[in-house]
Amino acid sequence: MEFKDIILLLHPAIAVLVVFPLIGIIVNRALQVRQRRLQTLTTGKSKISPTVGQEHVQLGHWLTGAVVSIVLIAFANDIINNILDNQVWMKSPFQVIFIGLLFVAAIASLYLLYQAKEKKWRGIFATLTGMALVVLGCQDGIYRKTDQWYISHYYYGLTAALLMIFSLSILRDIYQDKTNSWRKVHIILNSIALLLFIGQGITGTQALLEVPLTWQSPYIKILYEQKCDTKSCTIQPLYLPPNH
C-alpha cells in the first residue's frame, strides 16, 4: 500500500473513530436535553443533570470541526492527486496557489467562526467557510458522481458539513431567542443532517468499493473503458516490468 492509499483511508478512519461516535453521543444528549426541559415545565424539576445541555453544545462544537476537517482531508486527497497526476502546477500555477489559499481560508474562517460572538460576524465567517468548501468541491479530481447525486457520498457529505456550519453559527441565537424559533430551526436542520450522516455511512461504504487503491487503478480503468460495469467482460492481466 502506497502513501497516497494511506491518506485515502484516513478519511473513513476518522469518520469511524471520531465522527460517528460523536453523533451517537450528541443524539443521546439532545434527547436528554429535551426530556429534561419537558420534565421541568411539567413538574418543575428533573432527575436529568443540568450539565447535559453544556455537554450537547460542546460535543456539537467538536462534531462541526471534525466534519469540516474530514471533508477538507477528502478534498485535499483528490485535488492533490489530480495536481500531481496531471502536472497542474506546470500548466496553471495560479490555480494551484488559489486552491491552496482556499484551504487556508476554509480553516481560518472556521476558526474565526468559533471565536465570533456578534451575529454579523458569525454570519460572515459561516458564509466564508461554506463558500470555501463549495468552491473546493468544484475542483477537478473530486469524486462527485454528479450523475447519481441522490446516492453521492460527496453531495451528502458537503450538505451535512454546510448544515453543521450553519448550526454552529446560530448557536447563540438559540439561547437568546425567547420564541424558540431558532431552536426549532436547529432541530429540523440537525434531524436532516442526521439522515444525511446515515446516508454517509451507506454511500461511504460504496465509495470505498468504487475508489481503487493505487495498484488496482490500471485494472479498474480498463474495466470502465470496456464498460464492464454494465456488461460481463474479461480483461487480461497487465504486463509489469520485472522490478514490480
Side-chain angles (χ1 to χ4, degrees):
M1 185 180 294
E2 295 187 10
F3 178 74
K4 63 191 302 184
D5 298 325
I6 297 175
I7 299 300
L8 175 66
L9 296 177
L10 184 62
H11 171 82
I14 295 176
V16 172
L17 296 173
V18 179
V19 174
F20 283 101
L22 273 177
I23 292 172
I25 299 172
I26 287 171
V27 171
N28 174 266
R29 295 297 186 273
L31 294 174
Q32 287 186 322
V33 168
R34 178 167 177 78
Q35 186 178 358
R36 185 179 190 281
R37 185 179 298 111
L38 293 176
Q39 289 175 353
T40 303
L41 289 175
T42 55
T43 65
K45 59 182 180 179
S46 174
K47 294 182 179 180
I48 299 175
S49 172
T51 61
V52 293
Q54 297 175 354
E55 293 174 1
H56 178 67
V57 171
Q58 185 62 53
L59 291 168
H61 282 182
W62 293 353
L63 179 62
T64 300
V67 170
V68 174
S69 295
I70 64 171
V71 168
L72 289 174
I73 289 173
F75 286 177
N77 178 72
D78 290 350
I79 292 172
I80 291 174
N81 285 336
N82 178 71
I83 290 173
L84 295 176
D85 293 341
N86 297 296
Q87 297 185 338
V88 178
W89 74 91
M90 297 291 291
K91 303 173 184 177
S92 181
F94 176 77
Q95 181 182 356
V96 176
I97 295 173
F98 176 69
I99 290 172
L101 291 175
L102 280 176
F103 277 103
V104 173
I107 296 170
S109 297
L110 181 63
Y111 172 78
L112 292 172
L113 174 59
Y114 276 107
Q115 307 302 316
K117 295 181 180 180
E118 294 185 18
K119 186 174 183 178
K120 175 183 67 175
W121 289 111
R122 283 185 278 121
I124 290 173
F125 293 131
T127 301
L128 290 175
T129 307
M131 286 177 59
L133 289 183
V134 171
V135 176
L136 282 170
C138 295
Q139 300 305 308
D140 294 336
I142 299 292
Y143 184 69
R144 285 184 286 264
K145 289 187 68 174
T146 302
D147 57 328
Q148 294 180 309
W149 60 268
Y150 44 88
I151 53 170
S152 169
H153 188 65
Y154 163 80
Y155 286 105
Y156 282 15
L158 181 60
T159 305
L162 294 177
L163 289 176
M164 292 294 97
I165 293 168
F166 181 75
S167 293
L168 179 61
S169 70
I170 66 171
L171 183 60
R172 290 180 179 271
D173 298 317
I174 293 174
Y175 290 96
Q176 295 172 359
D177 182 17
K178 302 300 182 181
T179 65
N180 287 329
S181 297
W182 281 114
R183 189 180 301 277
K184 293 175 183 177
V185 171
H186 172 77
I187 293 172
I188 293 171
L189 292 183
N190 282 277
S191 296
I192 296 172
L194 178 60
L195 294 176
L196 288 172
F197 283 126
I198 294 172
Q200 281 290 85
I202 298 171
T203 57
T205 305
Q206 181 186 43
L208 283 175
L209 296 173
E210 293 178 343
V211 179
L213 298 175
T214 302
W215 69 271
Q216 298 172 327
S217 296
Y219 299 95
I220 300 299
K221 183 178 180 181
I222 294 175
L223 289 172
Y224 276 115
E225 287 175 350
Q226 297 185 12
K227 298 182 179 180
C228 296
D229 56 330
T230 59
K231 65 179 181 179
S232 298
C233 58
T234 304
I235 63 170
Q236 296 299 320
L238 294 176
Y239 170 76
L240 294 175
N243 59 350
H244 283 68

